[in-house]
Amino acid sequence: MQLFRSLSDSPAVNGAYEKYFLTSHPARDVLLFYINRPAVIVGRNQSIEAEVNLTYCQVHGIEIVRRISGGGAVYHDEGNINYAFIVQKNAIAALDRDFSTPILNALNALHIHATVGKRKELLINGLKISGVASHITREKILFHGTLLHRTNLTHLSEALQGNTAMRGRNIASIPGNVVNITDLTGGTETTVQFLDSMLDFLKIYYNTQTINILSDT
């Protein structure tokens, strides 16, 4: 496993990194981390108008970006950590692959005990701290998720209030009771510091080093 960290906060750039690792990069297995500036990331089969409060996003400077994977719309900001596994296919069916264990182990090392829900989301005491989505090509699997560390939950709630009458046959987001990790732990670390601690654990876990990547966009 190669461990990458994007230093860009652009949701479009980081989405492009995911696509590059999925379609062009020669590495067999990659784990990518990044933190985006405020944005709503919409699933590939969703109606933007049905899932996103466009007026609220415009007023608050929240970008809207469509990703290559399915699933529901999610909100990103500087208090949210994003992770993406891009791995070769193998004999295990994509939906049976275990991508949660490294993240759970990293959280456990920080004294945060989470569990996996029915949709492979991560939960603490039944509250959602991580939503996930996936995309499969002929050769690779993309499995990516969020970690709500100290996200602005007001922006999250308001930005994801779209006009459901516009949904039609498009995929609907599935709302859940979300919570920030810091709301449960009382931690005072910044989200960047929290990510640094996770990466320190994962470097040992995978016996590798973190490779930083940066775009000036």
Side-chain angles (χ1 to χ4, degrees), residues 37-131:
R37 57 185 178 247
V40 173
I41 313 300
V42 182
R44 66 179 297 174
N45 299 313
Q46 291 193 296
S47 161
I48 292 176
E49 293 82 1
E51 306 304 328
V52 184
N53 185 330
L54 298 175
T55 300
Y56 186 89
C57 289
Q58 183 177 20
V59 168
H60 292 278
I62 299 170
E63 298 179 45
I64 302 169
V65 176
R66 189 180 295 278
R67 64 176 186 268
I68 62 175
S69 64
V74 293
Y75 173 77
H76 293 177
D77 65 12
E78 296 89 347
N80 172 73
I81 294 169
N82 302 284
Y83 61 91
F85 291 89
I86 302 100
V87 302
Q88 291 284 325
K89 285 183 177 179
N90 61 21
I92 301 174
L95 294 179
D96 295 329
R97 295 284 288 270
D98 180 12
F99 297 107
S100 300
T101 294
I103 303 300
L104 290 175
N105 287 344
L107 292 174
N108 189 64
L110 299 174
H111 309 291
I112 298 165
H113 306 292
T115 58
V116 181
K118 293 181 179 179
R119 298 182 180 88
K120 297 185 181 295
E121 74 276 24
L122 300 186
L123 308 168
I124 298 178
N125 299 330
L127 299 174
K128 186 176 179 180
I129 62 165
S130 172

Side-chain angles (χ1 to χ4, degrees), residues 35-39 74-82 128-130 146-157 159-160 178-183 189-191:
I35 296 174
N36 280 333
R37 57 185 178 247
V74 293
Y75 173 77
H76 293 177
D77 65 12
E78 296 89 347
N80 172 73
I81 294 169
N82 302 284
K128 186 176 179 180
I129 62 165
S130 172
T146 60
L147 277 176
L148 300 176
H149 180 252
R150 52 174 72 251
T151 291
N152 186 323
L153 296 183
T154 298
H155 282 348
L156 182 152
S157 177
L160 297 180
V178 300
V179 67
N180 280 316
I181 291 171
T182 53
D183 292 335
E189 75 283 347
T190 68
T191 302

